Amino acid sequence: MSRLRNLSLFLVLAAVWGSAFVAIKAGLAYFPPVLFAAFRYDVAGVVMLAYAAYAVDDPVPRGRDAWLEVVSGAVFIIAAYHSFLFVGETDPAVTSAVAAVIVSLSPLLTTVFARAVLPAERLTAVGALGLAIGLVGAVVLANPDPANLTSGGTVAKLLVLLAAASFALGSVLSRASEADIAIETMEAWSMLLGAGLTHLVSVALGESVADAVWTTESLLALAYLSVVASGIGFLIYFHLLDRLGPIEINLVSYVAPVFAALVGWLVLDEGITATTVAGFLVICVGFALVKRDALREELRAAGVIG
């Protein structure tokens, strides 16, 4: 029953985070992109801080190391990741499924940054091959036209790739931190500080609150991203992180694109191209090679292999 519950929560999380790409795409019709991302974490930060106040003994970061971890999360995981992602999704060529598949490169990119930042992390020859295959998958997905590299959403897809790289770097810096801080506290303050930084980026880009269009649809998109995808999504994530560990929970990045494609087709009438499917499959092969030992252990623990 416990394993069935974990699987059910895992699929719920994949569905919530996969459909978030669709909510972003829908909301971008009403909000300037970076301002939209800032609004999302204005609300999500308050929700997460309220949960941290309920769940942990001290919801306020204490000490220099704790605040450094909060700042790294705010800069890379919240501000940079979402600014690049939301701007990238403004391009019609970047469908919800395409964005989700590119972001699924994050676990592979994490390996690159981990090797540079964490001395204990080592990448074997097979792991390096898996990383290269994963990046090939990203190129297949981008499907650039050599004669015109600015066409076909190539630049927008590169922005989403930068988003994935920002998230990966922020994750590694967080892992490298020696701060004694509850993850709920770190997430809450990173969201709030990240929202502030994202507002600054929005102003620097010339975006204005006056450009936001407040309708039922725009409010629903914002509420879904803030409360469901960020608030409830992260609560499920924290729960599963304790029960499954970081390897299994990382697999959510590879299931989310399926839900992004399905919901994008149902809600926004987005098509799924052959290059999207091919790129996703190549990235999955790369991930399997990089994480082969951990996946083997998880399968052995589940009794799938001996």
Side-chain angles (χ1 to χ4, degrees):
M1 183 61 69
S2 177
R3 185 170 296 277
L4 178 60
R5 183 172 182 270
N6 290 342
L7 176 60
S8 299
L9 287 175
F10 180 90
L11 291 175
V12 168
L13 181 61
V16 165
W17 280 0
S19 56
F21 291 96
V22 182
I24 293 171
K25 197 75 174 177
L28 286 172
Y30 304 97
F31 298 104
V34 179
L35 183 62
F36 186 22
F39 283 157
R40 171 183 181 176
Y41 282 98
D42 288 335
V43 179
V46 172
V47 171
M48 187 57 66
L49 184 60
Y51 177 73
Y54 163 78
V56 303
D57 294 332
D58 188 0
V60 179
R62 305 291 180 183
R64 177 175 174 273
D65 288 342
W67 278 108
L68 283 176
E69 184 172 350
V70 166
V71 169
S72 68
V75 170
F76 295 105
I77 295 178
I78 304 300
Y81 169 69
H82 289 88
S83 294
F84 285 131
L85 174 63
F86 278 52
V87 173
E89 280 209 60
T90 59
D91 193 306
V94 181
T95 64
S96 306
V98 167
V101 170
I102 296 175
V103 169
S104 73
L105 272 169
S106 289
L108 290 175
L109 296 173
T110 298
T111 303
V112 178
F113 293 123
R115 192 179 185 198
V117 176
L118 302 173
E121 298 283 345
R122 289 292 181 266
L123 194 62
T124 65
V126 176
L129 175 63
L131 180 62
I133 290 174
L135 295 177
V136 167
V139 174
V140 170
L141 185 65
N143 193 26
D145 178 5
N148 185 6
L149 291 178
T150 62
S151 69
T154 301
V155 173
K157 291 169 185 174
L158 288 176
L159 288 177
V160 179
L161 181 60
L162 283 175
S166 299
F167 190 92
L169 178 57
S171 298
V172 170
L173 292 176
S174 177
R175 190 191 308 172
S177 172
E178 297 180 356
D180 183 18
I181 179 174
I183 192 168
E184 295 89 345
T185 300
M186 187 277 289
E187 287 286 350
W189 288 95
S190 291
M191 286 178 178
L192 290 171
L193 180 57
L197 293 173
T198 309
H199 276 292
L200 292 178
V201 174
S202 175
V203 171
L205 292 175
E207 296 180 349
S208 171
V209 175
D211 296 327
V213 179
W214 300 98
T215 67
T216 301
E217 291 80 4
S218 65
L219 289 172
L220 285 174
L222 180 59
Y224 185 84
L225 290 171
S226 303
V227 179
V228 181
S230 297
I232 297 175
F234 273 112
L235 293 183
I236 296 174
Y237 175 83
F238 296 147
H239 178 75
L240 290 179
L241 183 64
D242 288 337
R243 299 176 68 88
L244 302 180
I247 300 300
E248 278 195 67
I249 197 60
N250 258 346
L251 293 175
V252 76
S253 297
Y254 293 85
V255 182
V258 177
F259 288 97
L262 179 61
V263 178
W265 173 65
L266 290 173
V267 177
L268 301 179
D269 197 27
E270 294 179 334
I272 302 173
T273 67
T275 53
T276 301
V277 176
F280 175 64
L281 293 176
V282 173
I283 289 170
C284 286
V285 171
F287 175 84
L289 288 174
V290 171
K291 297 293 186 181
R292 65 196 182 284
D293 292 335
L295 291 172
R296 188 183 300 115
E297 288 302 317
E298 295 293 344
L299 291 174
R300 184 175 291 116
V304 177
I305 61 175

